[in-house]
Amino acid sequence: FADVLEHLRRPETIIYRAKQFLAENGFILTSIPNIGHNSILLSLRNGKFEYTSTGLLDDTHIHFLTRESIFKIFNKNDLFCTAEENKLIRPCDTELGNYYCQYPLMAISLISKVDGHVYRFVHQWSKSTTTNNSDFIKGKKLTITQRFFELVYDFGCFIKRKFNLKTPGIMETLVFQPAEKTEKKKYEKYTPKS
């Protein structure tokens, strides 16, 4: 179910029906956008909730889901999360293009929020409870060091994009180059579907 459930009127019914065809050792893969992404919350701060043709606020979405609401749907159907590999995108790199540095007080709160950079939840679900489902239910927060890094990265992106300036050498050396090396697999940039 890659980018499907959020488009359905009753996703829990489809999950219930799909479960009937699931072998005992089989699994269901899902990819579901996160309505709790910090970019959306920054937009709401500005009084904006504008649908787009693709992305988090795709105008064909009927349901908007968070980690908790996704787990409720699946656990209600006796399916349990056995693996998770979420797609992470920073707010400044989403289609909404919001920046923490524009709202520093709000940024302190948002950067500490669980799943704030999760653009899309990617889960594997099965009938088996061999793994501890509660490990996945909680989500993860960024460490203090990661939070600081993200705020500096965001500020660098803001300066670079809003003022069309070349990134200062020190910023390039200390922030962007290490980010590209260490975070390439972890973080992505938004690319609209053709």
Side-chain angles (χ1 to χ4, degrees):
F1 292 103
D3 301 315
V4 172
L5 296 176
E6 65 273 13
H7 298 273
L8 304 175
R9 291 233 180 264
R10 292 187 181 81
E12 60 281 343
T13 303
I14 299 302
I15 296 301
Y16 174 80
R17 289 180 182 165
K19 182 184 167 191
Q20 310 311 311
F21 299 100
L22 190 62
E24 281 307 311
N25 61 347
F27 56 86
I28 295 173
L29 292 176
T30 58
S31 172
I32 301 170
N34 177 20
I35 190 65
H37 191 279
N38 284 348
S39 193
I40 291 176
L41 298 178
L42 288 165
S43 287
L44 287 170
R45 156 59 179 87
N46 289 329
K48 294 181 182 176
F49 189 87
E50 297 173 2
Y51 289 98
T52 56
S53 58
T54 61
L56 291 169
L57 297 176
D58 183 318
D59 57 8
T60 63
H61 290 175
I62 294 171
H63 288 282
F64 294 101
L65 303 162
T66 62
R67 175 183 297 277
E68 185 177 330
S69 55
I70 293 166
F71 273 77
K72 281 183 182 176
I73 290 170
F74 281 87
N75 292 166
K76 181 180 173 182
N77 281 293
D78 294 321
L79 290 166
F80 305 94
C81 186
T82 54
E84 174 179 79
E85 191 169 321
N86 298 325
K87 179 178 180 180
L88 303 175
I89 301 182
R90 294 173 174 100
C92 62
D93 290 330
T94 68
E95 69 278 10
L96 302 173
N98 290 311
Y99 298 91
Y100 288 124
C101 65
Q102 293 177 299
Y103 310 99
L105 294 176
M106 188 175 181
I108 293 167
S109 172
L110 289 181
I111 199 77
S112 304
K113 188 172 81 57
V114 172
D115 297 330
H117 288 183
V118 174
Y119 188 86
R120 186 173 310 291
F121 292 107
V122 180
H123 293 118
Q124 176 178 296
W125 305 91
S126 88
K127 295 177 183 179
S128 168
T129 57
T130 55
T131 58
N132 188 353
N133 196 44
S134 65
D135 290 345
F136 299 109
I137 292 173
K138 295 175 193 168
K140 293 181 182 143
K141 288 185 178 184
L142 297 174
T143 65
I144 300 257
T145 305
Q146 288 170 322
R147 291 178 209 168
F148 175 75
F149 173 81
E150 291 302 328
L151 292 173
V152 172
Y153 181 94
D154 177 82
F155 182 70
C157 287
F158 178 78
I159 296 298
K160 190 175 181 178
R161 294 174 189 161
K162 291 292 183 182
F163 299 109
N164 203 20
L165 297 174
K166 187 176 185 310
T167 306
I170 190 143
M171 186 77 100
E172 190 69 42
T173 304
L174 296 177
V175 178
F176 291 112
Q177 287 174 357
E180 287 174 13
K181 289 178 186 171
T182 60
E183 303 288 334
K184 204 161 216 150
K185 289 183 183 175
K186 188 175 180 184
Y187 278 95
E188 299 177 32
K189 292 191 182 342
Y190 176 76
T191 49
K193 295 176 185 173
S194 309

